[in-house]
Amino acid sequence: MKSDRILTLLEGQGDMAETIADTRRLYTKPQNLNDAYGPPSNFLEIDVSNPETVGVGRGRYTTYEVRLKTNLPIFKLKESSVRRRYSDFEWLRAELERESKVVVPPLPGKALFRQLPFRGDDGIFDDSFIEERRQGLEQFLNKVAGHPLAQNERCLHMFLQDESVDKNYTPSKIRQA
Amino acid sequence: MSFFSFGQSAEIDVVLNDAETRKKVEHKTEDGKKDKYFLFYDGETVSGKVNVTLKNPGKRLEHHGIKIEFVGQIELYYDRGNHHEFVSLVKDLARPGEITQSQTFDFEFTHVEKPYESYTGQNVKLRYFLRATVIRRLNDITKEMDIVVHTLSTYPELNSSIKMEVGIEDCLHIEFEYNKSKYHLKDVIVGKIYFLLVRIKIKHMEIDIIKRETTGTGPSVYHENDTIAKYEIMDGAPVRGESIPIRLFLAGYDLTPTMRDINKKFSVRYYLNLVLIDEEERRYFKQQEITLWRKGDVVRKSMSHQAAIASQRFEGSAASEMNAPKCISDIPHLMNAFLTLF
């Protein structure tokens, strides 16, 4: 049959037919429209804002509001707001360094020199210094909270979503069902 | 060399019989430059002439023999003293005596076995060369001529695709697929990345070709990794269900065939490295070995036949093998197909 002959002809030219590579796309499953246009599964926003100085005299310190909005299932609360001070951030960083294999980013400076007396400005309560520190703390948290390994640490979740930080806690990993 | 101004000296050079017709290819030298050399394949005969030209005509040249060698050797840079010769052939051109005038000697190494491909790497070099020598009491006159050998393979019978699901538990799951596991040097890597779960903020994704040269055995093994190519395949944040296509043309890169345990001295292997980078510059990657092989040059068929194949393969085209056009310009829509592919 004529068609048989045509097929045989092509077989013999197997190698020739390969001269032009087949670059057609591989088959892909069409995307579900809900997935394409719905909210993404990686929504995580952390803000460090509203610095407030509490206490009087030498016992004064500044706290910052740490606000979190997310749809990641690993966070118990989808929205949370807590107040934290600089030493709480230091505690978190130390815990993460010890407990996880994460290379923990640095915090904004401790600025001990600002705590010395006889300064011309407001020292650690100086507005521009607080703003600089606020930005650094926000960068630090965003870098850390998005890290898949850091997200497994109890200390991170306690820092971000518990009312207060219990420094006597038992370090542990979060396990998801 | 003209220290011994009383004595005679000579120049020696080697010329191949098929120097006019034989193809030359570019090959990297140790210092990174590219030079052209005659190309040979396994089993080919190496024949030519050795010209001995006397510097002082009239004076005679005494010698202890004239010979030509064909050598294939592996040189490890950290062990320069020891050359590992895997091919060593010699032809005596003249018995010890003297030459009174410039002379030419014919030689032929018939159907020489050249089992490995020429390779110049970071820590190792495999080369083939002809070496003509006029042996003398105090100092030999010698000339080396390097040639390049390519090893060819035929289409692999089995060439399965690579398909795998990888990820980080509860954070990122992807399925990657590459259409083949064995690619020839002018091939195209066609693949896709399918996102099953995206809980991290991905900024972009790239695919790298990594060459790993391994030298040494046992306790002292050296690995040299070299990123040959970096090719961005996605810019932006993907979501679940999204497929990112891969189309990477290998012809544009400086690649060699995969070499496994050559003469038990070294290996050259290639890996595809899929890298995802998130907004905090964290890198998530998956490395996968591929086999590269060298295809022999195919004589090109007529353009119309090529057009027929191309049109068939262009997505959505209705052209069939039965209706192959006689000439590209006859059919305007096929013209577009060609422009898209090339």
Side-chain angles (χ1 to χ4, degrees):
Chain A
M1 272 191 36
K2 204 169 179 192
S3 53
D4 285 343
R5 258 186 281 135
I6 293 172
L7 280 172
T8 317
L9 194 67
L10 291 172
E11 264 173 37
Q13 290 167 6
D15 226 296
M16 295 292 154
E18 302 287 345
T19 306
I20 299 182
D22 189 353
T23 59
R24 286 174 296 179
R25 290 190 183 185
L26 299 180
Y27 168 75
T28 61
K29 241 184 334 205
Q31 190 181 22
N32 179 312
L33 288 181
N34 277 333
D35 286 340
Y37 294 105
S41 316
N42 60 1
F43 178 64
L44 174 65
E45 261 176 28
I46 298 182
D47 295 308
V48 175
S49 57
N50 297 334
E52 262 171 31
T53 306
V54 296
V56 285
R58 299 250 242 115
R60 279 181 302 165
Y61 61 91
T62 309
T63 63
Y64 303 83
E65 183 187 346
V66 176
R67 211 177 35 221
L68 182 145
K69 287 205 190 93
T70 186
N71 66 359
L72 297 182
I74 199 156
F75 289 101
K76 211 159 48 168
L77 304 172
K78 297 311 159 214
E79 274 188 39
S80 65
S81 174
V82 295
R83 291 210 76 92
R84 297 285 181 254
R85 58 183 293 188
Y86 184 81
S87 56
D88 292 330
F89 284 82
E90 282 184 310
W91 170 89
L92 173 64
R93 186 172 193 282
E95 289 300 299
L96 286 174
E97 272 212 323
R98 197 188 64 237
E99 294 295 318
S100 79
K101 297 199 189 94
V102 175
V103 173
V104 191
L107 282 171
K110 210 162 150 62
L112 284 168
F113 61 93
R114 279 188 175 263
Q115 293 178 43
L116 295 171
F118 310 122
R119 287 185 63 90
D121 59 18
D122 295 323
I124 56 168
F125 303 106
D126 188 62
D127 283 339
S128 62
F129 168 72
I130 287 181
E131 173 54 24
E132 219 180 273
R133 181 173 267 195
R134 183 204 69 75
Q135 281 175 20
L137 293 175
E138 194 173 80
Q139 268 171 34
F140 169 81
L141 276 187
N142 275 293
K143 234 192 176 88
V144 160
H147 196 302
L149 291 181
Q151 281 172 3
N152 288 335
E153 296 297 327
R154 179 84 195 91
C155 58
L156 178 70
H157 292 269
M158 183 163 73
F159 178 94
L160 288 172
Q161 305 204 306
D162 284 8
E163 181 75 37
S164 58
V165 170
D166 175 13
K167 302 210 168 124
N168 295 318
Y169 85 122
T170 315
S172 61
K173 303 270 188 275
I174 309 277
R175 294 257 173 274
Q176 275 208 263
Chain B
M1 273 297 101
S2 44
F3 221 26
F4 304 95
S5 48
F6 309 129
Q8 173 63 287
S9 188
E11 263 173 23
I12 188 168
D13 70 284
V14 179
V15 179
L16 295 178
N17 283 339
D18 50 11
E20 298 288 304
T21 52
R22 184 166 288 277
K23 193 162 167 232
K24 277 190 156 191
V25 287
E26 274 193 359
H27 192 79
K28 211 167 38 163
T29 59
E30 213 178 304
D31 44 8
K33 284 200 300 244
K34 277 193 173 228
D35 261 333
K36 283 197 159 221
Y37 302 93
F38 285 109
L39 175 65
F40 280 86
Y41 297 104
D42 187 16
E44 281 194 297
T45 294
V46 185
S47 67
K49 299 182 195 320
V50 176
N51 299 319
V52 181
T53 315
L54 298 179
K55 285 219 181 115
N56 304 319
K59 288 215 180 114
R60 51 170 217 263
L61 175 75
E62 284 177 11
H63 65 85
H64 293 303
I66 302 178
K67 64 176 179 178
I68 182 154
E69 299 165 275
F70 180 86
V71 180
Q73 73 181 28
I74 296 173
E75 196 182 300
L76 293 159
Y77 295 173
Y78 57 79
D79 187 20
R80 295 270 188 182
N82 294 325
H83 292 167
H84 305 274
E85 290 185 359
F86 54 89
V87 174
S88 184
L89 305 169
V90 65
K91 293 259 188 265
D92 287 317
L93 300 174
R95 280 203 300 266
E98 62 184 39
I99 302 180
T100 48
Q101 56 185 9
S102 300
Q103 249 188 294
T104 294
F105 302 90
D106 288 299
F107 70 87
E108 179 177 299
F109 294 101
T110 322
H111 300 314
V112 185
E113 204 188 309
K114 304 174 207 75
Y116 311 118
E117 174 149 327
S118 296
Y119 175 72
T120 304
Q122 302 262 60
N123 286 320
V124 60
K125 185 159 74 169
L126 189 153
R127 59 187 272 245
Y128 294 85
F129 57 94
L130 286 160
R131 180 168 54 211
T133 313
V134 176
I135 307 163
R136 298 202 297 177
R137 192 168 55 92
L138 288 172
N139 52 335
D140 295 342
I141 305 168
T142 169
K143 185 75 187 284
E144 281 184 6
M145 184 180 110
D146 272 57
I147 61 155
V148 163
V149 171
H150 283 174
T151 52
L152 302 178
S153 304
T154 50
Y155 272 94
E157 262 183 52
L158 229 59
N159 199 351
S160 50
S161 64
I162 302 170
K163 191 168 179 178
M164 231 181 266
E165 199 184 301
V166 295
I168 299 174
E169 198 67 39
D170 298 321
C171 283
L172 174 68
H173 289 179
I174 60 167
E175 185 191 74
F176 70 87
E177 186 178 343
Y178 305 130
N179 63 332
K180 302 180 194 174
S181 35
K182 301 173 189 162
Y183 292 94
H184 62 81
L185 300 183
K186 306 273 179 272
D187 215 334
V188 187
I189 299 175
V190 176
K192 70 177 210 283
I193 311 294
Y194 179 72
F195 288 90
L196 293 151
L197 179 72
V198 189
R199 293 210 181 117
I200 55 171
K201 294 178 187 172
I202 298 171
K203 200 165 58 165
H204 63 100
M205 178 165 64
E206 67 184 42
I207 191 159
D208 302 342
I209 302 176
I210 299 182
K211 171 176 144 185
R212 181 172 303 155
E213 181 191 286
T214 306
T215 48
T217 49
S220 57
V221 176
Y222 296 99
H223 292 294
E224 283 281 355
N225 286 336
D226 189 19
T227 303
I228 303 277
K230 270 180 192 254
Y231 191 71
E232 187 178 83
I233 56 174
M234 178 187 81
D235 183 17
V239 291
R240 175 174 59 212
E242 210 150 349
S243 285
I244 303 298
I246 298 169
R247 188 180 285 152
L248 181 52
F249 289 83
L250 295 176
Y253 301 107
D254 187 19
L255 301 168
T256 71
T258 293
M259 301 181 199
R260 292 202 174 87
D261 208 25
I262 299 300
N263 207 231
K264 300 202 198 314
K265 295 275 174 294
F266 72 94
S267 294
V268 180
R269 301 170 98 119
Y270 289 89
Y271 301 83
L272 288 180
N273 200 26
L274 181 71
V275 188
L276 293 97
I277 297 120
D278 73 12
E279 300 224 329
E280 301 293 343
E281 304 299 323
R282 286 180 283 256
R283 299 162 68 88
Y284 308 78
F285 63 90
K286 174 76 186 104
Q287 220 174 74
Q288 188 62 42
E289 183 173 3
I290 53 168
T291 301
L292 295 184
W293 56 280
R294 188 182 289 280
K295 186 161 76 106
D297 283 327
V298 177
V299 175
R300 294 212 156 246
K301 264 250 167 190
S302 69
M303 286 303 270
S304 60
H305 180 73
Q306 306 244 317
I309 299 166
S311 69
Q312 249 211 327
R313 290 194 182 145
F314 186 63
E315 292 159 279
S317 169
S320 73
E321 206 64 346
M322 308 289 181
N323 303 325
K326 294 224 171 43
C327 167
I328 307 171
S329 57
D330 281 346
I331 299 163
H333 75 268
L334 279 171
M335 206 37 163
N336 289 334
F338 233 63
L339 289 169
T340 312
L341 286 175
F342 291 86

